[in-house]
Amino acid sequence: MIPPFHSSPYNPRLMTTLALDGGTPALNFNPKPWNTIGAEEIAATTEVLQSGILSGFVGVWGDAFHGGPQVQALESEWSHFFKIKHSISMNSATSGLYAAMGACGILPGDEVIVPPLSMSATATAPLVYGGIPVFADVDSETFTLNPDSVAKCITKKTKAIIVVNLFGHPGDLDPILKLAQAHNLTVIEDNAQGPGAKYHGKFAGCVAHMGIFSLNRHKHIQCGEGGIVVTNDDTLAMRLKLIRNHAEAVVEGKGETNLTNMVGWNYRMTELEAAVARCQLKKLPRILNNKIAQAEQLTKHLKKIEFLSVPVIKNDCTHVYYTYPILYKSPRPTRDLFVKALAAEGVPIVARYNKPLYLAPLFQNRTAFGVYPFSLSSEDYSKGICPVAERLHESDLFYIPWCSYDFTDEQIDGIGMAFEKVASHLTLLQSRAA
Ligand SMILES: *Cc1c(COP(=O)(O)O)cnc(C)c1O
């Protein structure tokens, strides 16, 4: 099978012809797709199906306004696990981001600072309430918002900042919260990729005013589609619940007088999804241990390759590796060829993360949501506004989709050796790219 890994660059036994050039691929396996749905989830959903009550929500003020027994149990278990006062389930993290924008009171023309490297919903969330996304650049090591760049984006119109704990590493939250306090801004953590990561002793997602988790099928834990917004703030929690469940129909029955203009959506989670999510939450600690241990195992291998940077972990933080990001430091433009060579060896690898979000047609054309205020805004979305994010996308960053596969420890060593094999041919690859 796979021979033992030998240290010191590079094991001469691996310096065979690249698979790219017709040689035998270094890896002779297909990693198992990630799937942690098992007997527990089947039993829990069967019980819900037998009850006949697939959703417990009613859009009327009263007990059923807060959802059925599975939804309420999930929310209290989530709060207990993450040591947070309120957990409000949603039908996706996207809905959670939209609800968070409404909860903090974004109005037409308000500016919300967001990072360009993320999943698209991070940047569309402000638009839903007429807000204007303003892109600050990211840090070149952690790929999360750079506080200095955030500071430069703050204007009189800024109302909120969405920090993305990208790839499973927390954002630089302390300086960003400090800025927010000075300017009276709400800070939201998009923690879809970082469940269980830690920032200075706290859980990522639970550090800022609100945090959003995703339970879609590509994340560490899943229930098909789902999301959770967490907060320690009672007012924000109530607003999130109203937005989740037809606020406009409820405020009267609830006796609200100052929320009468609130429009709610249907962001409600079903009992089936909540039942699955409860089982999955129980599995999270074991999943995290495995993801982290295997990432550290791969890091040991990749550290030997001097033109690559392994994931950086900041002081008093943990990384939970939604993906395993790698920086390519060698003379350009050979990252894409290097990644192509790795893929030919059988390494599950992606050459580039999402294009900086402002480069999408939505921001280039500015026609979504009618004409006002997004289409008339003079906010700059041109190429060049976030040079670090653009460079990472164009030439420096690539990644292994760590939560898409269920690797064995032997496979991790195999991946390490495949990297070593390709690295030993770097000069050849560079001459070809030149
Ligand atoms: C997955 C993801 C989302 C959206 O999650 P859904 O539950 O699919 O809506 C938002 N932000 C980030 C950073 C994500 O990775």
Side-chain angles (χ1 to χ4, degrees):
M1 292 287 288
I2 297 159
F5 184 81
H6 294 287
S7 60
S8 87
Y10 294 104
N11 180 347
R13 279 200 292 149
L14 296 170
M15 290 189 65
T16 53
T17 311
L18 287 172
L20 199 63
D21 292 335
T24 309
L27 303 182
N28 60 355
F29 60 83
N30 284 318
K32 242 171 67 184
W34 184 241
N35 178 10
T36 58
I37 300 296
E40 306 82 356
E41 287 80 2
I42 292 168
T45 47
T46 302
E47 212 171 291
V48 171
L49 285 168
Q50 281 165 345
S51 80
I53 299 166
L54 306 193
S55 172
F57 277 104
V58 180
V60 179
W61 186 246
D63 254 9
F65 175 74
H66 302 282
Q70 293 294 333
V71 160
Q72 294 196 27
L74 168 64
E75 292 178 346
S76 86
E77 287 159 14
W78 198 274
S79 290
H80 181 76
F81 185 94
F82 288 101
K83 300 180 169 63
I84 190 104
K85 196 166 175 193
H86 302 282
S87 298
I88 296 113
S89 61
M90 302 276 172
N91 56 12
S92 70
T94 301
S95 301
L97 283 160
Y98 291 6
M101 291 288 93
C104 69
I106 298 304
L107 292 171
D110 287 347
E111 293 176 0
V112 180
I113 297 173
V114 300
L117 290 190
S118 186
M119 182 263 173
S120 64
T122 307
T124 58
L127 293 176
V128 173
Y129 284 88
I132 309 292
V134 173
F135 291 92
D137 210 349
V138 297
D139 178 79
S140 57
E141 283 191 329
T142 63
F143 321 122
T144 64
L145 273 180
N146 176 336
D148 296 330
S149 182
V150 170
K152 288 188 196 125
C153 291
I154 294 174
T155 71
K156 280 201 186 70
K157 291 184 185 164
T158 310
K159 286 286 154 56
I161 304 168
I162 304 179
V163 178
V164 179
N165 300 325
L166 196 71
F167 301 148
H169 189 284
D172 199 356
L173 286 157
D174 276 350
I176 291 174
L177 285 167
K178 219 168 171 184
L179 280 172
Q181 194 169 19
H183 298 271
N184 196 23
L185 313 174
T186 305
V187 181
I188 295 136
E189 287 173 79
D190 178 343
N191 194 47
Q193 302 184 358
K198 287 281 186 77
Y199 178 84
H200 300 183
K202 284 188 185 169
F203 278 112
C206 303
V207 183
H209 302 106
M210 284 178 275
I212 290 127
F213 295 76
S214 173
L215 291 163
N216 90 17
R217 110 168 165 79
H218 307 284
K219 299 295 167 22
H220 288 78
I221 57 171
Q222 63 135 336
C223 62
E225 302 285 355
I228 312 257
V229 186
V230 298
T231 183
N232 280 315
D233 183 300
D234 296 344
T235 307
L236 288 174
M238 183 47 70
R239 290 176 68 91
L240 288 162
K241 287 180 165 195
L242 286 164
I243 291 167
R244 167 175 72 179
N245 189 7
H246 304 297
E248 70 287 349
V250 173
V251 287
E252 216 177 344
K254 187 175 177 298
E256 289 279 355
T257 49
N258 62 352
L259 290 176
T260 46
N261 287 331
M262 195 174 245
V263 175
W265 313 87
N266 177 351
Y267 290 161
R268 309 178 310 201
M269 183 184 270
T270 71
E271 290 290 280
L272 285 165
E273 290 158 337
V276 173
R278 291 178 69 195
C279 299
Q280 290 271 296
L281 179 60
K282 289 202 189 83
K283 297 180 180 179
L284 183 60
R286 201 162 37 83
I287 289 169
L288 293 176
N289 283 340
N290 169 262
K291 290 287 169 211
I292 294 168
Q294 290 195 333
E296 286 169 355
Q297 191 186 338
L298 181 64
T299 293
K300 275 195 204 133
H301 292 304
L302 300 198
K303 262 190 173 159
K304 297 171 189 155
I305 303 173
E306 91 284 351
F307 60 89
L308 299 181
S309 282
V310 295
V312 166
I313 299 159
K314 289 290 183 185
N315 189 33
D316 207 6
C317 290
T318 61
H319 199 313
V320 292
Y321 301 96
Y322 173 62
T323 70
Y324 184 102
I326 304 160
L327 277 181
Y328 189 78
K329 296 189 296 186
S330 203
R332 282 158 221 140
T334 54
R335 175 198 63 180
D336 291 356
L337 190 56
F338 185 75
V339 169
K340 203 170 154 195
L342 284 169
E345 300 297 335
V347 177
I349 194 103
V350 181
R352 47 183 71 190
Y353 189 60
N354 297 347
K355 195 154 79 167
L357 296 175
Y358 52 82
L359 297 175
L362 169 67
F363 293 100
Q364 295 304 307
N365 302 337
R366 241 179 276 217
T367 47
F369 296 100
V371 293
Y372 174 83
F374 180 46
S375 55
L376 299 179
S377 112
S378 56
E379 188 56 36
D380 186 7
Y381 296 128
S382 37
K383 196 161 165 56
I385 59 168
C386 297
V388 176
E390 290 183 18
R391 194 186 72 227
L392 290 168
H393 172 73
E394 293 297 333
S395 57
D396 290 10
L397 176 66
F398 63 105
Y399 68 95
I400 301 177
W402 213 239
C403 280
S404 298
Y405 300 104
D406 193 356
F407 297 116
T408 64
D409 293 351
E410 292 71 34
Q411 289 173 346
I412 300 288
D413 285 337
I415 291 170
M417 283 189 295
F419 267 84
E420 192 182 346
K421 175 181 170 185
V422 176
S424 70
H425 290 85
L426 185 71
T427 319
L428 172 78
L429 287 172
Q430 279 174 330
S431 67
R432 196 174 309 171

